[in-house]
Amino acid sequence: MKYLDEFRNGELASIIAANIAREACPAGIYRLMEFCGGHTHAISRYGLADLLPAPVRLIHGPGCPVCVLPIGRIDQAIRLASDHGVILCTYADTLRVPASGNLTLMRAKAAGSDVRMIYSTQDALKIARDNPERQVVFLAIGFETTTPPTAVAIKQAAAEGLKNFSILCNHVLTPAAMHAILDVEGSVSLDGFIGPAHVSTVIGSKPYEVFATDYAKPVVIAGFEPLDVMQAILMLIRQINSQRNNGSAAVENEFTRAVTRDGNQKAQVLVSEVFELKDFFEWRGLGSLPNSALKLRPEFAGYDAEIRFGVDYVAVPDHKACECAAILRGEKRPQQCKIFGNVCTPENPIGSCMVSSEGACAAHYSYGRFREVSN
Amino acid sequence: MNINYIRPLDFKNGRIEMQHGSGGRVTAHLINELFAKAFDNPYLAEGNDGAVLPPVSGRLVMSTDSHVVSPLFFAGGDIGSLSVHGTINDVAMMGAVPLYLSAAFILEEGFLLSDLKRIVESMAHAAQEAGVPIVTGDTKVVEQGKGDGIFITTTAVGMVRDGITLSGNLAQAGDKILLSGPVGDHGMAVLSQRENLSFDAPIVSDTAALHGLVSAMLDSGAGLRVLRDPTRGGVATTLNEIAQQSGVGMLLNEAAIAINKPVEAACEFLGLDPLYVANEGKLIAICAPEDAVRLLAVMRAHPLARDAAIIGEVLADSHGFVQMITRLGGRRIVDWLAGEQLPRIC
């Protein structure tokens, strides 16, 4: 495939790997967090850890939309479908996230709730148009990448006067989570970030500059292909080496084929027309963070399912043995969780990190658990 | 006046009605006018409750498979040809020569007779091409809303000659793993049709009967241990099944696994891994290492396995991990499919 095969070339990967091995100081340590689940998945799927020398350690970050959704949010969606009889539309990964009472959206569906898997917000709008007698709620989740399509859907619904459509809004913000990783007590020490790919196409590279200036953490924005990740790691090692020789941290952009400093301004305007900052939002693992998520602006509040149906968010503690919170903070690795791979598996996930293929636990279970045996 | 007159079936605009499954005259009419004509063979023509078949000299192999694919018609085939090929292949994977098929239909009230005719004729064509007659069958009708147009269950009986024993528990450390061609064609043909995706080169299902290929492989005398067709769950799931049954591990070479370009593009677009996508005309063979090259040459000489390749080898591993050296040179697990990647593809 044009524009993809070039970034999956094994020979080039081994050249970059050789450069990394040569430039990484054997006595040093390079703790790099890949923020995004997309990177976690690429690293695991292509076995990139095998191409890296011992001093380079990759730490999985919280950038997996379903992983950071707390139980109470899925409970709200299930209540909407079961108690209020709405057609609940959702992206596939969300169907299997564990909620209270041993439920998931998929189990709620099996028990008779009308839960439908969709590929885009346009599908949800179509369902609303086709079922004028039913209320249709879109479970809107995701970082900045998935927010503009939700904004488009809201504007379309408003323009069409679509009265039976609303959203359960869980759109969250990447920079807020990065702040939390660096600020929250108990989070891991990091030497640099592999910055988001798709999120950065929307928000640009500028919002990360504060992490270089105020926290002295290098950030390299990278695409989701394996060579992007390898090249970003090399760029981070060079920055960290330079920092250790009194240089300063910077935001660099490996993903220049898609990301600019200012990002997609049209999308940004669209999002700001429809959404505003929510005072507080509870993240799984990171706690309740200020200004870390979006809600609909007052003029679009009629499309807010929480208001329309009066379903309030109720915080629910995670399963006692589940280490998702510490894993999302980068503080623990999946294999350090007692229930990893025995009680908690992709077929029967206890924590959210075992649900999505972008989750740290699911990625390690599906692609890397042989390492636990051979080590 | 002809007092035995029954109105002919309206294959243009007619639909299945409840009385087509009542067991009465209308059912008999449907069977005679459609199924018996299309499947035309002496066993079926006897019109008895069962087919009486001549004795065979060898062990019998029997396999059954239900087909619920949506959409019913897709590039390269339809539910009819699929239901013939799929069951023939299951028997062939045991090293048997398929001899007879049965077919059971569950039809939904309101299903178009024209579609039914098209499907039945496609089955008849596939069975004739494979040289395996459909010797008995059944038809039931369910009320509208209680089925999805048509479900077809087929059963095949085959005979395996002496000296041939193939089984999923016979893979041994050191054995080579062969794959008969590019993966994912069937699943992506169905899915791209369902999602209305079109590509420069259309994706065509690989649905085919593999017993001819299997026969050539057996005749080569290569030390075959396991044959299996990687249908639902794809190559990844099939290899995990074999690894578990045999209590071994496997190491694959990603670069050796062929994927047609449009399939690769469609998988990329939909976020699917082609190793988990269904095939309906491919097989995986595990054989003694010393015979692998010879077996590969035999496979490549057959039109259904021109792109066959040795994709890996069997390892001693009590954990049963199927591992793969990726195109990037790293190593990872190729795990069982978790959950459901593609609904209803076969």
Side-chain angles (χ1 to χ4, degrees):
Chain A
M1 275 168 295
K2 192 93 182 112
Y3 309 120
L4 281 178
D5 290 341
E6 292 88 333
F7 297 95
R8 296 175 184 176
N9 182 313
E11 284 170 34
L12 280 175
S14 59
I15 293 171
I16 303 174
N19 285 332
I20 291 172
R22 196 174 57 242
E23 296 189 32
C25 172
I29 180 167
Y30 301 82
R31 289 160 299 195
L32 312 179
M33 174 177 276
E34 85 276 5
F35 181 85
C36 276
H39 288 131
T40 304
H41 188 250
I43 289 162
S44 306
R45 179 170 174 181
Y46 292 98
L48 297 188
D50 290 333
L51 306 182
L52 300 174
V56 179
R57 296 197 193 153
L58 296 175
I59 297 158
H60 308 316
C64 154
V66 308
C67 300
V68 297
L69 267 191
I71 291 172
R73 287 276 158 193
I74 302 293
D75 286 352
Q76 273 181 302
I78 291 175
R79 287 212 305 276
L80 282 169
S82 61
D83 300 352
H84 296 271
V86 310
I87 301 176
L88 191 96
C89 302
T90 178
Y91 297 136
D93 271 355
T94 325
L95 288 172
R96 296 168 54 235
V97 180
S100 300
N102 200 23
L103 275 177
T104 59
L105 280 166
M106 201 172 257
R107 286 185 191 143
K109 179 173 189 268
S113 291
D114 196 345
V115 177
R116 302 192 193 180
M117 189 193 96
I118 55 166
Y119 288 102
S120 83
T121 55
Q122 293 304 311
D123 295 342
L125 283 179
K126 183 171 186 305
I127 291 169
R129 287 185 204 111
D130 293 347
N131 296 276
E133 74 293 351
R134 302 276 309 274
Q135 285 288 329
V136 176
V137 177
F138 170 55
L139 175 53
I141 71 158
F143 288 88
E144 291 87 340
T145 326
T146 53
T147 312
T150 306
V152 170
I154 293 291
K155 289 195 111 178
Q156 261 178 290
E160 292 175 29
L162 212 52
K163 299 272 185 249
N164 62 332
F165 177 78
S166 59
I167 67 166
L168 180 59
C169 184
N170 296 283
H171 284 302
V172 290
L173 303 172
T174 302
M178 289 175 70
H179 275 289
I181 295 286
L182 295 170
D183 293 340
V184 169
E185 204 174 329
S187 287
V188 71
S189 314
L190 295 175
D191 300 302
F193 285 103
I194 299 173
H198 295 169
V199 161
S200 305
T201 63
V202 176
I203 68 172
S205 63
K206 206 169 148 190
Y208 308 109
E209 287 168 4
V210 62
F211 302 110
T213 55
D214 293 14
Y215 295 87
K217 301 296 179 198
V219 178
V220 176
I221 293 159
F224 281 145
E225 295 303 321
L227 282 192
D228 290 318
V229 178
M230 292 297 288
Q231 179 64 21
I233 291 169
L234 178 61
M235 290 164 78
L236 279 169
I237 285 167
R238 285 176 179 164
Q239 270 208 57
I240 293 163
N241 285 345
S242 136
Q243 261 188 310
R244 288 173 182 168
N245 287 303
N246 299 320
S248 58
V251 174
E252 288 184 280
N253 183 7
E254 182 279 335
F255 198 30
T256 50
R257 62 188 186 277
V259 172
T260 60
R261 183 165 182 266
D262 292 324
N264 183 339
Q265 290 174 1
K266 208 168 170 182
Q268 292 167 22
V269 168
L270 181 68
V271 168
S272 65
E273 281 170 3
V274 175
F275 294 102
E276 62 184 17
L277 285 176
K278 197 175 168 94
D279 293 342
F280 281 93
F281 185 87
E282 192 191 340
W283 295 58
R284 194 184 289 232
L286 302 176
S288 186
L289 303 177
N291 300 324
S292 65
L294 299 174
K295 64 174 182 183
L296 289 163
R297 283 190 175 279
E299 57 267 42
F300 294 106
Y303 295 96
D304 186 334
E306 289 180 75
I307 296 171
R308 184 177 293 187
F309 300 99
V311 284
D312 292 330
Y313 173 71
V314 180
V316 178
D318 286 344
H319 187 282
K320 263 182 264 169
C322 175
E323 295 280 15
C324 276
I327 290 163
L328 286 165
R329 290 194 298 268
E331 189 190 326
K332 287 199 173 174
R333 297 194 298 162
Q335 56 272 40
Q336 291 173 297
C337 175
K338 275 193 209 120
I339 58 173
F340 173 82
N342 44 64
V343 178
C344 184
T345 61
E347 285 76 22
N348 181 34
I350 303 297
S352 54
C353 299
M354 192 56 101
V355 173
S356 164
S357 62
E358 295 190 352
C361 295
H364 185 66
Y365 186 90
S366 301
Y367 295 129
R369 70 184 187 280
F370 70 93
R371 291 174 211 280
E372 294 348 298
V373 174
S374 48
N375 290 341
Chain B
M1 179 174 140
N2 179 0
I3 55 162
N4 288 323
Y5 177 79
I6 297 180
R7 192 154 53 97
L9 290 164
D10 177 4
F11 284 118
K12 206 169 167 195
N13 300 309
R15 289 176 184 275
I16 286 291
E17 299 165 26
M18 290 309 293
Q19 58 177 349
H20 284 120
S22 65
R25 210 180 342 248
V26 179
T27 307
H29 188 51
L30 178 69
I31 290 170
N32 291 334
E33 289 306 303
L34 181 60
F35 296 105
K37 269 189 186 164
F39 298 156
D40 184 35
N41 63 69
Y43 304 104
L44 197 59
E46 285 173 17
N48 289 323
D49 279 356
V52 180
L53 306 168
V56 294
S57 56
R59 290 161 297 158
L60 290 176
V61 174
M62 185 171 164
S63 184
T64 192
D65 207 345
S66 293
H67 301 269
V68 297
V69 64
S70 168
L72 299 172
F73 303 95
F74 46 84
D78 54 62
I79 189 170
S81 55
L82 192 65
S83 69
V84 168
H85 295 151
T87 310
I88 285 179
N89 290 347
D90 285 346
V91 166
M93 294 307 126
M94 304 312 299
V97 177
L99 299 174
Y100 308 105
L101 282 166
S102 77
F105 297 80
I106 296 175
L107 306 172
E108 187 184 5
E109 180 188 14
F111 190 64
L112 281 172
L113 281 174
S114 55
D115 281 349
L116 180 61
K117 185 163 186 273
R118 201 174 145 195
I119 289 166
V120 168
E121 283 172 355
S122 165
M123 281 182 86
H125 178 71
Q128 194 186 22
E129 209 173 46
V132 187
I134 298 169
V135 296
T136 184
D138 181 50
T139 307
K140 295 281 180 343
V141 177
V142 294
E143 284 166 34
Q144 200 154 59
K146 296 196 172 167
D148 193 7
I150 180 170
F151 299 143
I152 305 176
T153 299
T154 51
T155 301
V157 173
M159 190 198 71
V160 61
R161 63 177 193 246
D162 288 343
I164 294 171
T165 304
L166 301 178
S167 173
N169 62 6
L170 295 177
Q172 300 170 21
D175 285 353
K176 297 290 181 190
I177 306 165
L178 290 82
L179 174 65
S180 68
V183 297
D185 290 3
H186 175 71
M188 293 320 292
V190 170
L191 198 72
S192 57
Q193 191 127 338
R194 193 186 303 163
E195 300 302 329
N196 269 324
L197 299 179
S198 59
F199 298 90
D200 290 349
I203 300 175
V204 178
S205 167
D206 57 347
T207 180
L210 294 169
H211 57 303
L213 170 63
V214 170
S215 167
M217 291 167 70
L218 290 170
D219 289 346
S220 76
L224 272 173
R225 319 240 204 245
V226 188
L227 282 182
R228 197 160 286 183
D229 53 340
T231 53
R232 204 169 28 171
V235 167
T237 304
T238 301
L239 290 175
N240 274 284
E241 285 166 7
I242 298 169
Q244 188 178 61
Q245 263 183 286
S246 294
V248 296
M250 295 182 186
L251 184 63
L252 311 178
N253 174 14
E254 186 173 24
I257 301 172
I259 305 167
N260 283 323
K261 287 291 171 194
V263 171
E264 195 180 15
C267 283
E268 190 68 38
F269 188 71
L270 294 171
L272 303 174
D273 184 338
L275 288 177
Y276 294 87
V277 178
N279 311 277
E280 291 290 346
K282 297 296 177 323
L283 62 79
I284 286 169
I286 295 183
C287 82
E290 62 274 17
D291 295 338
V293 172
R294 186 156 57 96
L295 183 64
L296 181 67
V298 170
M299 291 172 73
R300 284 183 171 169
H302 193 279
L304 289 176
R306 274 196 303 264
D307 299 315
I310 298 172
I311 62 163
E313 65 176 17
V314 178
L315 307 176
D317 174 8
S318 60
H319 297 93
F321 287 144
V322 176
Q323 299 182 46
M324 181 165 81
I325 303 296
T326 71
R327 274 185 263 183
L328 271 284
R331 192 185 266 229
R332 62 126 149 146
I333 287 183
V334 176
D335 209 0
W336 291 86
L337 177 62
E340 188 178 35
Q341 178 156 345
L342 299 177
R344 300 201 21 215
I345 32 91
C346 57

